[in-house]
């Protein structure tokens, strides 16, 4: 006990000597036992003196009031502490599979490419529980990651580099839909500004609270659908862990809920008033006079990027095919004008001009 208290005093002195206000597990006044609030006894096998494994250990505090009360009764968590319930988010149908993990090894490099080795998504793959957070200072990610070129990084600088630990194939051997590194490569013609600032003219539909030129994070889109719950790519009620509903069907009925995800950044009124594309309304709501139904934003746009076209134009092959001349192409002819060579819902564009 004396040695542990001396360690706590030493850590406090080091932190106080920096003159910087910090927060985090290491010096948190809400942890009365200091390091001992987490590291107790010998712990369970293959864990750094922790009483439970992986996410179950984190859920002791980051879960229900009942579980926090148990920690408080043991004197390991201060009374009156209110934390978000992250466990209930991981119960949502679309979530990172922390419950399927095989265990985090501090020396490992994800994604695991060794035969028979299963990759996993544990809390400590994304979070460093010993990291100190300094209010007012740029956010740091004191965990490993990958660059877009597939270079392993001991410490990630941007959030997307943490995501690329699993969502990239650094060997280019197993190219799958999960490898989003390709979608944000420097060579793509257009992308949501995740790995580089936005360029070109500002989209008329972009809502005022979204600063043009400001970079986005993966977790701006892939996050909890409950705005009052814990943020981040933990879990959602919607596919791909999206922040809202996004109907990607070839035929769909437009409404605020149908494209809730897109409308969180792009003003619905602007879209329906055709401020950025003169046929937006007809495409997503259909045209009764012509006997056509509306289609999804995903029919024309790829939410990550487009390798060849501006405006994230990347036609969905489930709804779009080559036209009668065998062409499947978009040609930009001006700021708000272009030509589409394609066949969509049995309507031949040869070309369709706007």
């Amino acid at each position: 006990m004396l040695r542990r208290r001396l360690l706590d005093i030493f850590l406090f002195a080091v932190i106080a000597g920096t003159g910087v206000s910090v927060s985090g597990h290491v010096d948190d006044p809400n942890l009365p036992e200091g390091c001992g609030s987490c590291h107790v006894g010998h712990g369970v096998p293959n864990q750094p003196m922790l009483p439970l494994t992986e996410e179950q250990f984190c859920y002791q505090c980051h879960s229900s009031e009942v579980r926090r009360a148990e920690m408080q009764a043991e004197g390991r968590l201060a009374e009156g502490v209110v934390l978000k319930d992250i466990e209930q988010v991981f119960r949502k149908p679309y979530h990172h599979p922390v419950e399927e993990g095989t265990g985090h090894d501090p020396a490992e490099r994800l994604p695991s490419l060794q035969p028979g080795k299963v990759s996993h998504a544990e809390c400590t793959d994304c979070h460093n529980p010993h990291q100190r957070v300094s209010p007012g200072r740029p956010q740091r990610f004191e965990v490993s990651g990958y660059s877009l070129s597939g270079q392993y990084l001991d410490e990630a600088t941007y959030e997307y580099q943490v995501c690329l630990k699993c969502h990239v194939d650094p060997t280019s051997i197993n190219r799958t839909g999960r490898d989003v590194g390709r979608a944000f490569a420097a060579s793509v013609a257009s992308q949501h500004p995740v790995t580089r600032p936005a360029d070109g003219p500002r989209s008329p539909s972009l809502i005022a609270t979204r600063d043009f030129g400001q970079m986005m994070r993966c977790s701006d889109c892939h996050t909890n659908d409950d705005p009052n719950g814990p943020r981040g790519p933990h879990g959602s009620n919607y596919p791909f862990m999206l922040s809202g509903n996004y109907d990607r069907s070839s035929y769909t009925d437009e409404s605020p809920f149908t494209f809730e995800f897109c409308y969180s950044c792009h003003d619905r009124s602007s879209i329906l008033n055709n401020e950025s594309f003169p046929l937006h309304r007809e495409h997503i709501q259909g045209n009764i006079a012509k006997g056509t139904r509306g289609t999804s934003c995903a029919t024309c746009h790829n939410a990550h990027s487009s390798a060849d076209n501006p405006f994230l134009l990347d036609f969905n092959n489930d709804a779009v095919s080559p036209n009668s001349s065998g062409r499947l192409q978009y040609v930009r002819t001006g700021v708000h004008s272009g030509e589409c060579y394609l066949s969509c819902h049995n309507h031949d564009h040869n070309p369709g001009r706007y």
Side-chain angles (χ1 to χ4, degrees), residues 202-208 254 263 265-282 284 336:
R202 178 188 175 94
S203 171
S205 67
L206 194 64
I207 60 178
E254 188 277 338
Y263 290 152
C265 290
H266 295 277
D267 182 68
R268 180 172 180 254
S269 296
S270 174
I271 295 293
L272 296 181
N273 286 329
N274 300 325
E275 293 180 0
S276 52
F277 172 49
L279 296 173
H280 248 153
R281 187 186 193 102
E282 181 173 328
I284 62 176
H336 292 298

Side-chain angles (χ1 to χ4, degrees), residues 89 91-94 223-226 235-239 241-242:
V89 181
R91 294 198 189 104
K92 294 190 175 186
Y94 304 96
T223 188
N224 189 2
D225 57 298
D226 178 3
S236 170
N237 283 308
Y238 299 110
M241 280 193 292
L242 295 181

Side-chain angles (χ1 to χ4, degrees), residues 190 201 300-302 306 309-314 330 332 334-335 354:
S190 59
C300 297
H301 300 285
N302 185 315
S306 173
N309 300 313
F311 316 125
L312 305 180
L313 287 172
D314 183 20
Y330 168 78
R332 186 180 185 183
V335 176
Y354 69 93

Side-chain angles (χ1 to χ4, degrees), residues 323 327-331 339-343 349-351 353:
N323 65 9
R327 294 182 67 179
L328 178 56
Q329 184 182 14
Y330 168 78
V331 178
E339 298 175 340
C340 292
Y341 296 84
L342 52 86
S343 177
H349 297 61
N350 196 22
R353 293 187 175 91

